[in-house]
Amino acid sequence: MPWVGIMKRRAFLLGGFAIAGVLGLAGANRMTFYSMVTEPRSGEVVDAAEAYELVESGDLVLVDIRRPDEWLKTGRALGSVPIDMRRDDFTDELSRIVNGKNNTRIALICARGVRSARLSNRLIEAGFDNIVDVPEGMLGSESGPGWIARGLPLVEG
């Protein structure tokens, strides 16, 4: 009865495609995927251009939370402070950068806004009062084209 094995495999594959279709993943582009995995944000949101203006005016500390290999690959936003979000001492380092003033306006930027949304919420829960998210990130998302595509200035990673 080899056809039983074939039928089970077909049912499994068809079921997987059906689930992917329901979730919107079949044929979906990256933007759709990232919008599906990004959690709601608790704090303020700005686009990349506004973040740049705020950094230039001194009204915002911009933190690039991506990995060092990402900084090297694309460069970092001019004026950003690089802190890999995977660091065990991330919160302590961030607090050190703002001299313990947890009400400092701090914006987080990652590649496409997924990690920055998550971390924004965590930092708000940890007592940082003025966290801002840049949901389009460096590479763009459903929220906007991203820092790089906007032609905003970069520094080497």
Side-chain angles (χ1 to χ4, degrees):
M1 297 224 201
W3 60 272
V4 172
I6 292 170
M7 293 306 289
K8 284 182 181 178
R9 186 172 50 194
R10 281 189 185 165
F12 174 76
L13 290 173
L14 288 174
F17 286 124
I19 291 169
V22 168
L23 293 176
L25 297 176
N29 63 28
R30 281 186 173 189
M31 301 306 176
T32 302
F33 171 76
Y34 285 112
S35 70
M36 292 171 57
V37 297
T38 302
E39 65 184 61
R41 295 162 187 87
S42 300
E44 181 184 356
V45 174
V46 297
D47 66 29
E50 186 177 356
Y52 176 63
E53 290 173 14
L54 292 167
V55 168
E56 286 291 292
S57 67
D59 295 325
L60 182 78
V61 174
L62 180 62
V63 180
D64 189 329
I65 63 170
R66 298 176 300 152
R67 299 182 315 267
D69 63 298
E70 292 176 282
W71 302 329
L72 290 172
K73 184 176 180 181
T74 64
R76 291 185 297 104
L78 180 66
S80 67
V81 177
I83 311 175
D84 184 338
M85 71 177 283
R86 301 171 304 164
R87 286 178 55 167
D88 291 335
D89 66 340
F90 181 90
T91 306
D92 294 336
E93 180 64 12
L94 184 58
S95 187
R96 186 190 66 75
I97 287 169
V98 297
N99 297 318
K101 298 177 184 171
N102 288 1
N103 62 342
T104 301
R105 197 169 185 201
I106 302 167
L108 305 178
I109 191 166
C110 63
R112 298 191 184 275
V114 176
R115 291 172 285 181
S116 61
R118 269 191 215 123
L119 190 56
S120 292
N121 292 336
R122 301 309 171 273
L123 290 173
I124 290 168
E125 291 169 7
F128 287 86
D129 299 333
N130 207 352
I131 298 297
V132 178
D133 185 26
V134 184
E136 66 188 90
M138 293 295 290
L139 304 178
S141 72
E142 196 173 71
S143 298
W147 189 282
I148 294 170
R150 285 181 184 270
L152 297 170
L154 298 166
V155 294
E156 290 186 25

